[in-house]
Amino acid sequence: MSSPTPRRSRSFRRPATAAASAALAGVLLAACGAGGGSSADSSGPVHIKVWAWYPSFKPVVDEFNRTHKNIKVDWVQAGVGQDEYTKLKTVLKAGQGAPDVVMLEFQELPTIQVSKGLLDIGKYGANEDKGKYVDWAWKQVSDGDHVYAIPVDGGPMAMMYREDIFKKYKLKVPTTWAEFKEEAAKLHAADPKAYLTDFGSDETAAGWRQGLMWQAGSRPYTYSASKLPDIGVKLNDAGAKKVYDYWGDLVKNKLVDTTSYATTDFYNGLSSGKYATYIAAGWGPGYLSSVAKTTAGKWRVAPLPQWTAGGNQQGDWGGSTFAVTSQTKHPKEATEAARELFGTSEAAWKIGIDQAYLFPLSNPILNGAYFKSKKYDFFGGQQINSVFVPAANGIGSFDWSPFQDYAYNTDTTEVGKAIQGQVPWSSVSDNVQKQVTTYATQQGFKVNQ
């Protein structure tokens, strides 16, 4: 990930809007009218407009156009994360102006899908790709034989740590969360200005917290597009409570910092040694190597600590897809572009891996020798994907909701109250559950708790 700043922001959240309300209202309306960003003349290739914000994406587009004579991809950087989503929702509602293919993060798919903004590309051959991607990712883009996107990259979580700091204070690389707490106490006692890590407490880290709960077994939603308006919501399940009880204890005892992510203080903390670990995702190495350049060679990667010794529970933070919008005039060619811009193309993925730090979800690339054995100078030459790849292959299935922005924002608000001592940590997930189910019901969903 050579441009981590924009890449990072794709996983960050902004305050929720009434997106879910508008989205569900769309279910009751006819599908969007004609429109689409593509064009074609009678003699040349079909032009497919693609919105995406991947770093180093131009050479990927060039590679696609070089190898596809019937299609020409016209790439537009229409904004990063929520900026792109806001534009997309506007043009979908207007019934015209949407691209043929759009980059969407996994958690955004239900929100756009429920508004009838996505084409079922299973009708155009996408089902043939089912076995080409890790199972948990494919399940997030499909509903039976209906396919609403093609997975591109993911964010299996692991622990990046400063080897020099661990050696200086004789810290053990923790393999369990219990050991993590012990080492956090040891480090902070030895150096009161240092923390083992920073707890992501703001809205930009909502996906980080969700990833930790994912690892702890939390499955807050049961979502299927074919069963709407029914949806299951259980944000206060045992996994969620376990995570907030644990991190609340670390915060209360000042064993971890609570500086907001995506702030200068946080960036500086990664460089200065204030934080000895950065618990992040498969795209994190690119981000870290950009914001903490002066620490090159000092970092290493270890598996995410487990709740039970010897366990293999994994979580994901971030990840993206290519979806085809319902406004395309060329569904066959748009589907081909979504499937093959990255797909299993070794040439495209070499660019994605080497220049953009993308973490592939395509099985042949993910488990291929090039990616698994790649050494990273920033991590002292470590083959860090020997940690991330098993994590990606160990992730369990997970559903998102069509009101994810609201859920993330509510969670952030309640976490903030807990940090300030206004509510007990034990009530955070219960409060989130109550508010989110009320909101979802008001939007017309039939909520099963």
Side-chain angles (χ1 to χ4, degrees), residues 49-301:
K49 183 178 289 184
V50 176
W51 285 6
W53 69 87
Y54 296 110
S56 301
F57 190 49
K58 184 179 183 303
V60 174
V61 172
D62 291 343
E63 173 65 16
F64 179 92
N65 288 336
R66 185 184 69 79
T67 55
H68 293 73
K69 303 305 180 187
N70 62 322
I71 302 172
K72 183 178 186 301
V73 164
D74 300 319
W75 171 44
V76 175
Q77 210 282 27
V80 175
Q82 287 297 322
D83 289 340
E84 183 205 82
Y85 301 152
T86 298
K87 293 176 182 175
L88 179 64
K89 291 167 186 173
T90 299
V91 295
L92 287 174
K93 186 176 181 180
Q96 60 182 355
D100 300 283
V101 176
V102 62
M103 173 184 173
L104 294 175
E105 294 163 289
F106 283 100
Q107 77 274 2
E108 199 68 20
L109 285 170
T111 299
I112 304 300
Q113 190 277 330
V114 80
S115 68
K116 303 294 185 184
L118 301 182
L119 189 72
D120 176 7
I121 55 177
K123 300 175 181 176
Y124 300 96
N127 262 314
E128 297 172 12
D129 291 354
K130 182 177 181 179
K132 297 178 181 176
Y133 295 91
V134 292
D135 185 63
W136 61 269
W138 189 257
K139 287 179 177 175
Q140 291 195 14
V141 302
S142 62
D143 184 19
D145 289 335
H146 305 287
V147 181
Y148 295 103
I150 298 295
V152 177
D153 76 316
M157 297 181 75
M159 182 182 71
M160 292 170 245
Y161 67 98
R162 284 280 298 271
E163 185 182 51
D164 56 326
I165 294 176
F166 269 63
K167 287 182 176 178
K168 178 180 180 181
Y169 293 105
K170 296 181 171 55
L171 303 177
K172 175 186 177 184
V173 178
T175 60
T176 67
W177 287 115
E179 290 177 352
F180 188 90
K181 178 181 177 180
E182 293 173 3
E183 301 309 307
K186 187 186 300 183
L187 173 61
H188 197 54
D191 181 356
K193 295 182 179 179
Y195 296 92
L196 195 59
T197 201
D198 183 58
F199 174 74
S201 59
D202 62 312
E203 72 273 15
T204 66
W208 178 82
R209 299 192 299 274
Q210 188 70 81
L212 292 176
M213 288 186 268
W214 188 338
Q215 188 222 8
S218 178
R219 298 293 184 269
Y221 309 107
T222 304
Y223 170 80
S224 170
S226 61
K227 295 180 180 178
L228 287 172
D230 292 341
I231 185 169
V233 180
K234 190 66 174 177
L235 288 147
N236 57 345
D237 61 15
K241 286 183 173 292
K242 179 191 291 184
V243 167
Y244 279 143
D245 286 347
Y246 176 82
W247 286 95
D249 177 63
L250 295 183
V251 171
K252 284 189 295 185
N253 287 288
K254 303 187 186 306
L255 299 182
V256 294
D257 196 20
T258 57
T259 296
S260 294
Y261 280 13
T263 63
T264 300
D265 286 346
F266 176 67
Y267 301 153
N268 290 340
L270 292 172
S271 296
S272 67
K274 180 180 180 180
Y275 306 132
T277 74
Y278 175 42
I279 297 169
W283 46 264
Y287 164 73
L288 186 62
S289 63
S290 176
V291 302
K293 292 179 181 177
T294 58
T295 59
K298 297 179 179 179
W299 291 84
R300 300 291 184 272
V301 180

